[in-house]
């Protein structure tokens, strides 16, 4: 649980008035990489001894896995009884991104739950759920990559929710600046641009487009070879999302467009400079979507891919990640290759078809996607 120890060190730096971005911990010399607001949230981690803290993260992430499954079913219209939810949770724990999140003591499951909870909140008689979008902004304030979901809200015509999300993000920045002015100035003017601070982009742990292209081209800095495909991917996703009907017209039982949400999530993981394998916990709602659409074979294949751990089987000590032969490249980058394939053949064509896709009879009859 190396990342848990980093979070604890961040909390200690805040509590003691130390340099938030000047320390490293664990044998891997890991630094703090999140905004100051996140460090404020980590202060309670200092209240427990390390063994109790690790147990808390273990149990908490297991519970969050069950919650993510529940929210994924709510997003896609699936109905799972409690025994089936428990069984599905037990299986989901073996998905490599979920398993690694628990092993590292990460917060990926918490962020995914926060985003999905907000996006799937049903409307009230006032048409909008109060404060809908604010939690998305808070998630972006904890770990910057969820900010793509703010763009998703704008692109799909949910301007009110998008502006609320921006307000939530701004609130986290303001709170961090008020409590930790020095650390905030350091982060937003300097640290946020130090992408190398997060880690080496070319190692197999990085399952983003940059990691894939760096390994394929055998160069640690792929430059335009990475920037151009990333820009093209972001542009294609943005154009597609603008063609989807605004989800503000959805009924109370269809509060979010599952294809749009998953497209935004996969795009985030692809275009981020670094998407560690444990960031791909969005495989859980992806699997729920495939099951809800009556694609059991594809869902099984995707589940196998996310449990195979092929990139951990490759030689990756030192700079061996940059010297992989051609036939090992698919094994080194299974997640971005899968995301590109699914976006092209499963998620992208849907807005171009006439009418909405029909869910199988086992799904909720009220969960028609628009």
């Amino acid at each position: 649980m190396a990342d848990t120890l980093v979070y604890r060190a961040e909390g200690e730096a805040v509590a003691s008035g130390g340099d938030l971005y000047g320390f490293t911990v664990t044998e891997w010399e890991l630094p703090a990489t999140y905004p100051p607001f996140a460090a404020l949230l980590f202060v309670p981690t200092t209240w427990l001894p390390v063994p109790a803290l690790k147990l808390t993260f273990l149990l908490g992430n297991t519970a969050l896995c069950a919650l993510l499954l529940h929210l994924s079913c709510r997003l896609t219209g699936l109905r799972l009884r409690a025994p089936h939810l428990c069984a599905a949770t037990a299986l989901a724990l073996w998905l490599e991104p979920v398993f690694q999140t628990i092993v590292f003591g990460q917060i990926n499951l918490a962020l995914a739950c926060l985003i999905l909870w907000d996006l799937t909140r049903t409307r009230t008689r006032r048409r909008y759920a109060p404060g809908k979008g604010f939690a998305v902004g808070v998630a972006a304030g904890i770990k910057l990559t969820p900010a793509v979901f703010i763009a998703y809200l704008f692109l799909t015509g949910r301007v009110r929710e998008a502006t609320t999300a921006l307000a939530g993000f701004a609130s986290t920045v303001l709170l961090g600046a008020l409590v930790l002015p020095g650390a905030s100035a350091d982060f937003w003017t300097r640290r946020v641009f130090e992408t190398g601070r997060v880690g080496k982009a070319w190692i197999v742990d990085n399952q983003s487009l940059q990691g894939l292209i760096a390994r394929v081209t055998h160069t640690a800095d792929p430059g335009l070879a990475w920037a151009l495909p990333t820009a093209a991917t972001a542009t294609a996703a943005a154009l597609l999302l603008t063609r989807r009907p605004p989800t503000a017209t959805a009924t109370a039982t269809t509060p979010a467009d599952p294809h749009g949400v998953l497209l935004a999530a996969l795009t985030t993981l692809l275009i981020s400079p670094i998407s560690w394998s444990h960031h791909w916990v969005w495989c859980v709602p992806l699997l729920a979507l495939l099951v809800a659409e009556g694609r059991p074979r594809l869902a099984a294949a995707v589940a196998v891919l996310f449990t195979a751990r092929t990139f951990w089987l490759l030689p990756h000590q030192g700079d061996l990640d940059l010297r992989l032969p051609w036939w090992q490249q698919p094994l080194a980058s299974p997640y971005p290759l899968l995301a590109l394939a699914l976006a092209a053949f499963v998620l992208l064509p849907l807005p171009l078809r006439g009418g909405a896709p029909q869910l199988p009879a086992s799904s909720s009859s009220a969960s028609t996607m628009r």
Side-chain angles (χ1 to χ4, degrees), residues 292-310:
E293 292 194 330
R295 301 171 184 260
R297 293 181 180 179
L298 181 57
V302 171
V304 168
L305 183 142
F306 277 106
T307 55
R309 296 159 167 78
T310 55

Side-chain angles (χ1 to χ4, degrees), residues 104 203-207 215 275-278 311-312 316 321:
F104 286 124
I203 59 178
V204 293
D205 312 47
N206 182 20
Q207 291 291 299
R215 291 186 291 270
S275 293
W276 301 131
S277 68
H278 52 76
F311 46 89
W312 296 122
H316 53 272
D321 311 62

